[in-house]
Amino acid sequence: MKPCEVNYWFGKRRSSKANASPAHADNMPQWAQDMMSESKKTNAGITKYREETKTEIMRCKEEIEKGRKESKAEMEKWAKSVEDNTKAQFELLREEVRLISETTISLANEMEARKKEVDDTLNDQSDSITSMETKLKEMEKEMLKLRRRSEDLEARSRRNNIRIVGVREGAETGKKPPEFIAGLLKEKLGLSVTPTLDRAHRTLGARRDGAGAPPRAFVVRCHYYIEKEILKKAREMERTPEGRSGRIHIFPDYTQEVNNKRAAFKEARSLLRTHGGPKDAMDLAKYKGYTGVRT
């Protein structure tokens, strides 16, 4: 059978399907009947497949919708859990921040109070220090005044004192030191009258008996101030060759401060003597002819 014939019969069948009768179908060729039978079976299979596919699609849709709902519920549940957890964490964080803020404010207030206390203490200490500085300056002035008075009193207490250097250690053994020194002065200075001495003693310190060791000086207190003219006599003797070769030397008993000042003036005094100027402060006050000095 040719394809055109098949198309013919198929087209004829389609166009006259509604009007076709069993009697007419019987008049169809066997092959057409077979094809129609096969077509019916195919249509039935397709219909069944469609129904099954539709049923399966509906089942898939239901499962998808069920999964979507379950997923949505799970997501909502998870989101709610996350939201609740976040709120709890946020509330906990807010409480911690509040506690930190309160602690910080408390510390700031405490530090401010401490700072004010320290400032007040420093102000009080500053006032106390200022007052102490004022009192210290006054005390320094008072101490300087007392020191000068003490120095003056010490110097006045030594006005009748002399120091004798060069007396051999042990020369006064067996004698009273005042009597021994009085006889020594009368002998060495050629005095007509034995001077009256209140006291006489060696300076403090260990005895010096070694070879080449200078003997300790004698501190002598004259009973009368006029007897200190011995010093003048001794100085006049020191200016002579005989006096320079003598064994003793007599000096005023100055205080330590005066001795320090005299020691500081020693170099200047040496220069003045070298150039023919005044020899000491008294001489300087009286001197008028030295160049550059005005009195």
Side-chain angles (χ1 to χ4, degrees), residues 21-283:
S21 62
H24 183 267
D26 293 336
N27 295 327
M28 294 178 61
Q30 186 64 34
W31 60 269
Q33 293 178 8
D34 294 338
M35 289 186 67
M36 288 183 66
S37 177
E38 290 293 329
S39 176
K40 288 180 180 180
K41 291 179 179 180
T42 302
N43 290 335
I46 290 172
T47 302
K48 182 180 179 181
Y49 177 75
R50 284 179 178 176
E51 292 295 331
E52 291 177 354
T53 302
K54 184 176 179 181
T55 303
E56 187 67 21
I57 289 172
M58 291 299 295
R59 188 179 64 79
C60 290
K61 284 184 177 180
E62 290 176 356
E63 290 181 357
I64 290 171
E65 183 65 21
K66 181 180 178 181
R68 187 183 69 80
K69 290 180 179 180
E70 290 178 353
S71 298
K72 182 178 180 181
E74 289 293 331
M75 289 295 293
E76 290 177 351
K77 182 179 179 181
W78 177 81
K80 186 69 169 58
S81 174
V82 170
E83 182 181 1
D84 295 341
N85 190 23
T86 303
K87 286 182 178 180
Q89 293 291 335
F90 183 74
E91 290 297 329
L92 181 61
L93 182 61
R94 177 183 292 177
E95 183 66 18
E96 291 180 355
V97 170
R98 185 184 64 80
L99 292 176
I100 293 173
S101 177
E102 291 178 354
T103 305
T104 304
I105 293 173
S106 176
L107 289 174
N109 294 334
E110 183 179 355
M111 290 298 294
E112 185 66 24
R114 291 285 300 276
K115 178 178 177 296
K116 186 177 182 303
E117 181 180 356
V118 170
D119 289 341
D120 294 340
T121 304
L122 288 176
N123 290 332
D124 295 341
Q125 292 294 331
S126 178
D127 295 340
S128 299
I129 290 173
T130 303
S131 176
M132 289 175 62
E133 288 178 349
T134 304
K135 291 180 180 179
L136 181 60
K137 290 180 180 179
E138 293 177 355
M139 290 177 64
E140 287 178 349
K141 292 179 181 179
E142 189 67 22
M143 286 181 63
L144 181 59
K145 186 187 297 184
L146 293 174
R147 182 177 179 183
R148 289 175 179 174
R149 287 183 179 179
S150 175
E151 181 69 22
D152 181 67
L153 290 173
E154 185 180 359
R156 289 179 183 275
S157 68
R158 296 189 181 197
R159 289 183 63 186
N160 290 6
N161 292 0
I162 58 174
R163 281 180 177 257
I164 302 175
V165 180
V167 181
R168 179 176 54 85
E169 288 280 356
E172 71 278 13
T173 304
K175 302 176 184 178
K176 293 182 179 180
E179 295 177 359
F180 169 74
I181 293 299
L184 181 66
L185 291 175
K186 181 179 180 181
E187 176 187 353
K188 292 295 183 180
L189 301 180
L191 302 176
S192 58
V193 180
T194 302
T196 304
L197 305 180
D198 291 340
R199 290 184 300 274
H201 60 81
R202 295 275 186 180
T203 55
L204 298 178
R207 182 167 176 170
R208 303 170 185 173
D209 294 330
R216 292 173 295 167
F218 260 103
V219 179
V220 181
R221 180 174 181 81
C222 300
H223 184 73
Y224 300 106
Y225 178 75
I226 193 65
E227 290 180 343
K228 286 192 66 176
E229 291 295 322
I230 298 172
L231 297 177
K232 186 175 181 182
K233 182 74 173 178
R235 290 175 183 173
E236 291 175 355
M237 287 181 63
E238 288 178 356
R239 294 193 182 99
T240 64
E242 180 183 355
R244 292 194 184 96
S245 62
R247 295 176 59 189
I248 65 172
H249 300 277
I250 303 175
F251 303 97
D253 186 26
Y254 293 127
T255 62
Q256 185 62 41
E257 185 173 355
V258 174
N259 285 330
N260 293 338
K261 292 179 179 180
R262 286 174 62 83
F265 182 65
K266 184 177 180 179
E267 184 178 355
R269 182 173 55 189
S270 177
L271 291 174
L272 290 172
R273 284 180 176 176
T274 302
H275 294 83
K279 303 174 182 59
D280 52 28
M282 295 297 296
D283 198 6

